[in-house]
């Protein structure tokens, strides 16, 4: 299992690092602990980060969709993760990242396809997972904030259009549950299962009620079927990331 926080081949002595859409700030804090040479900035629109951070880590309240105020050629590494459904203009975001990155710096973007699938048809037509991906994909079209960022490698094309060179894409399976035989995937699946169980309402309730117009009771009934599906060990479900 890769213990690094990223896949980009940055140097062992990065100086300036930006974590866009930092959320709780866990990635930024872990990076600052792992690379004490770096000044790490995490940005987001919600001030939910811990106040206990390494000396060279800080958080800024900022909307990544607005014009970035950082200088040109400033960062050694820019990291974006799980921002699908939050960005109206990915082209603009990638162009800003390109402008603010130093020559020779690295940009890394991690997302996953919201559709839940299986290789052995254990996630069949009757599964509530079958509906899950379409719920988000159609919501993205309504909101003008796509959830299909990595489908058909759209982001790879947008990144190249922004000016980046040496653009590579790595596709991984992100299991839901401990069903994989390989220990590293089993560990990933355990964490993913826990995160999904804990965040199920946060992921879906607003989308179901405010975007799709379901009433709360109907949405909760659907989420209950998803919870039951999560506990079913015969389902070999995964996302593609």
């Amino acid at each position: 299992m890769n213990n690094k926080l990223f896949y980009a081949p940055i140097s062992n002595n990065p100086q300036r690092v930006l974590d866009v859409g930092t959320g709780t700030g866990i990635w930024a804090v872990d990076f600052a602990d792992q690379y004490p040479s770096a000044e790490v900035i995490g940005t987001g629109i919600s001030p939910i980060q811990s106040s206990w951070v390494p000396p060279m880590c800080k958080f800024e309240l900022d909307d990544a969709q607005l014009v970035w105020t950082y200088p040109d050629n400033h960062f050694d590494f820019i990291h974006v993760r799980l921002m699908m459904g939050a960005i109206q203009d990915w082209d603009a975001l990638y162009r800003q990242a390109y402008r603010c990155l130093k020559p020779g710096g690295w940009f890394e973007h991690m997302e996953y396809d919201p559709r839940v699938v299986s290789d052995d048809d254990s996630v069949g037509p009757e599964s509530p997972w079958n509906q899950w991906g379409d719920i988000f994909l159609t919501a993205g079209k309504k909101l003008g904030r796509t959830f299909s960022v990595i489908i058909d490698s759209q982001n790879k094309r947008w990144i190249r259009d922004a000016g980046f060179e040496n653009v590579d894409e790595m596709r991984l399976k992100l299991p839901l549950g401990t069903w994989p035989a390989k220990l590293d995937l089993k560990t990933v699946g355990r964490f993913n299962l826990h995160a999904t169980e804990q965040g199920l309402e946060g992921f879906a309730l607003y989308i179901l009620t405010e975007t799709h117009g379901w009433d709360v009771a109907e949405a909760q009934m659907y989420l209950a079927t998803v919870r039951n599906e999560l506990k079913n060990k015969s389902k070999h479900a995964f996302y593609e990331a």
Side-chain angles (χ1 to χ4, degrees), residues 83-115:
M83 292 286 280
M84 60 178 178
I87 303 298
Q88 288 183 314
D89 189 345
W90 280 102
D91 287 310
L93 185 141
Y94 290 140
R95 287 195 299 270
Q96 301 224 62
Y98 181 77
R99 177 184 64 79
C100 294
L101 201 64
K102 290 180 181 178
W106 287 91
F107 172 72
E108 184 170 272
H109 181 196
M110 295 183 177
E111 294 288 346
Y112 64 85
D113 184 335
R115 297 172 297 186

Side-chain angles (χ1 to χ4, degrees), residues 75-161:
F75 292 104
D76 299 289
F77 182 38
I78 297 177
H79 173 261
V80 179
R81 182 177 59 181
L82 296 183
M83 292 286 280
M84 60 178 178
I87 303 298
Q88 288 183 314
D89 189 345
W90 280 102
D91 287 310
L93 185 141
Y94 290 140
R95 287 195 299 270
Q96 301 224 62
Y98 181 77
R99 177 184 64 79
C100 294
L101 201 64
K102 290 180 181 178
W106 287 91
F107 172 72
E108 184 170 272
H109 181 196
M110 295 183 177
E111 294 288 346
Y112 64 85
D113 184 335
R115 297 172 297 186
V116 178
V117 296
S118 64
D119 286 329
D120 59 0
D121 296 325
S122 58
V123 178
E126 79 292 343
S127 171
W129 282 130
N130 231 8
Q131 195 176 357
W132 182 261
D134 285 339
I135 285 171
F136 289 94
L137 294 178
T138 55
K141 291 177 181 177
K142 290 180 180 180
L143 296 169
R145 299 168 184 257
T146 183
F147 282 86
S148 62
V149 180
I150 71 165
I151 295 175
D152 298 326
S153 298
Q154 290 188 88
N155 62 326
K156 189 176 180 181
R157 183 176 69 253
W158 295 332
I159 289 171
R160 281 182 171 146
D161 289 345

Side-chain angles (χ1 to χ4, degrees), residues 170-190:
M170 181 182 294
R171 288 296 178 110
L172 304 169
K173 287 183 179 178
L174 186 58
L176 274 163
T178 58
W179 58 264
K182 291 184 177 180
L183 182 59
D184 56 348
L185 289 178
K186 191 181 291 290
T187 301
V188 170
R190 181 180 296 111

Side-chain angles (χ1 to χ4, degrees), residues 12 24 37 49 53 56 59 62 71 73 91 103 123 144 148 153 158 178-179 181 185 213 239:
N12 291 324
T24 61
S37 67
Q49 300 80 34
V53 296
M56 296 297 285
F59 299 109
D62 196 9
N73 310 321
D91 287 310
V123 178
S148 62
S153 298
W158 295 332
T178 58
W179 58 264
L185 289 178
Y239 294 107

